[in-house]
Amino acid sequence: MNITFFGTKPYDRMWFEEMGKQYGFPIRFFEVNLSEETVALAQGADAICVFVNDDVNGKVIAQLAEFGVKTILLRCAGFNQVDLKTAQKHDIKVLRVPGYSPEAVAEFSMGLLLAVNRQIPRAYVRTRMFNMNIHGLMGHDLKNRTVGIIGTGKIGQAMIQICKGFGMRILAYDIYPVDGLDVEYVSLDELFERSDVISLHCPLTKDNYHMIDRRTLKKMKDGVYIINTSRGALIDAKALVEALRLPGKIGGVALDVYEEEGGIFYEDKSNDIVDDDTLARLLMFPNVLITSHQGYFTMEAMQAIAIETMENAYAVKQGNPCPNEVTL
Ligand code: NAI
C-alpha cells in the first residue's frame, strides 16, 4: 500500500518515516495541505493520510477516486473535514485515530484555563521586560467554581477528572449522556447560565455549528471563561469579539482552535500581513489566549497517532474489519 501524506511537518516525518518502514508501507510526504489545487499529488497512491486542516471535500474525493485511491487515513480524531457521503459513494474507506491520548488535550485545556485565568502569558512578557508590577494580573481561585463540560467523551471525561482535582463543581451536557458518570447533566441552556467556566469537548457536527453565538453568549454569566480545544466553528468568532467588547461580560477566552484556522494555524505568518480581521481583533484583547491547535501535541500522543494510523492501514491492507473506520 503506497501512502501519500499531505500537510506534513518535520515532527510528522519524525514518527511516520520510522513507522512506515516498520509496517512496510512506502510513504511520500508532501508539505502542502490537500485541496482541489493539490489533489493531483495523490496520483499513484493507494491511500492518502491527512490532518485537521486538509480539505477533503466532495470534489477532492471524486478526484481521489479517479486516481484509484481507496483509503483515507486521518491522523486525527475529528473527521469534520471529510465529505463522508461522497467517500461512501466512491467506496473509499475513511479511518481515524479516535483515542490516542485524551489526557494530552485535557491537560492542555486545563493549562489554557490556568494561563488565561492567572494571566501567566502576560506575566511572562512583563517580567522578561523587568516589569515586576502585578497590577491587572489578578485571577480567581478555581476551587468551588462551576465548570460546564460540553461533550463527555474521552477528552471531556479526562477534563472532568482534572477539574475535580481542582475542587471544581462539574456540570455537563452531552447528546448521549454517559451512564454512571459522577457529574450533574443539565440542558445546554442551563449549563450556559450556571457555569463560571465553559470547556468544549464535543465534535463539530452540522447540528452544533456556532453553538456559542450571540444568543448563547447572552445567557452566560458575567465574567465567564470559555475554553475551546475542540473545533473552531463551534464558536461564532465575530459574536465572541462583540461579547469581549462588553465591559465585564467575558473573564477570559482561550482558543486552541479557530473557525478560519486553515492556512494560518501551523504556519509561520510572522512576516505577513494578517488579513483575518476577526483573528487580529481577538489577538488584541488582553484576556484572550490563542494557541495553534496543539492540544494533542505530546510525545506520547504523536507516537500513539503514528502507531494507530499504521494499524488502520494494515487492517485495510489485510481486509480486516477496523473499529476506527468512520461510517455515516
Ligand atoms: P469522543 O467521541 O470520545 O467524545 C465526544 C463526545 O461528544 C461524545 O460523548 C458525544 O456524544 C458528544 N457529542 C457529540 N455531539 C455533541 C453535541 N452536539 N453536543 C454535546 N455533545 C456532543 O471524542 P474525544 O476524543 O473526546 O474528542 C472530542 C473532540 O476534541 C474531537 O471531536 C475533536 O474535535 C477535538 N480534538 C481536539 C484536539 C486538539 O488538538 N485540540 C485533539 C483531539 C481531538
Side-chain angles (χ1 to χ4, degrees), residues 75-149:
R75 49 182 194 278
C76 55
F79 50 88
N80 54 288
Q81 72 278 45
V82 184
D83 180 340
L84 290 176
K85 238 188 202 159
T86 311
Q88 197 173 42
K89 190 176 122 199
H90 291 284
D91 207 17
I92 294 181
K93 282 188 192 306
V94 179
L95 297 101
R96 66 181 185 125
V97 280
Y100 45 85
S101 174
E103 288 74 22
V105 186
E107 288 168 12
F108 192 74
S109 306
M110 178 49 87
L112 288 178
L113 173 58
L114 290 171
V116 79
N117 170 34
R118 303 302 300 272
Q119 313 223 31
I120 295 167
R122 292 182 74 203
Y124 171 79
V125 172
R126 282 193 194 181
T127 57
R128 297 275 296 180
M129 308 277 287
F130 245 90
N131 174 0
M132 301 299 179
N133 184 349
I134 62 169
H135 179 65
L137 302 184
M138 190 155 49
H140 294 276
D141 285 10
L142 291 182
K143 190 168 190 289
N144 294 328
R145 306 273 288 179
T146 301
V147 58
I149 304 287

Side-chain angles (χ1 to χ4, degrees), residues 6 15 43 49 52 81 112 117 131 155 164-165 186 195 228 233 237 241-242 261 267 269-270 273 293 295:
F6 287 90
W15 293 104
Q43 286 182 75
C49 183
V52 291
Q81 72 278 45
L112 288 178
N117 170 34
N131 174 0
I155 297 171
K164 282 187 177 173
V186 293
S195 300
N228 188 8
V241 168
E242 278 173 27
E261 70 181 52
E267 307 303 330
K269 297 279 177 190
S270 55
I273 293 165
H293 207 144

Side-chain angles (χ1 to χ4, degrees), residues 51-52 76-80 96-102 104-105 108-109 149-157 173-178 185 188 200-205 207-209 211 228-231 234 256-257 266 293-297:
F51 196 49
V52 291
C76 55
F79 50 88
N80 54 288
R96 66 181 185 125
V97 280
Y100 45 85
S101 174
V105 186
F108 192 74
S109 306
I149 304 287
I150 300 180
T152 53
K154 288 179 282 298
I155 297 171
Q157 288 183 40
Y173 170 77
D174 196 302
I175 49 169
Y176 301 112
V178 178
Y185 276 108
L188 196 51
L200 302 182
H201 301 291
C202 58
L204 173 67
T205 66
D207 303 321
N208 62 15
Y209 174 78
M211 75 177 349
N228 188 8
T229 56
S230 206
R231 282 296 178 266
L234 293 170
D256 187 44
V257 287
Y266 300 127
H293 207 144
Q294 64 171 89
Y296 72 99
F297 201 41

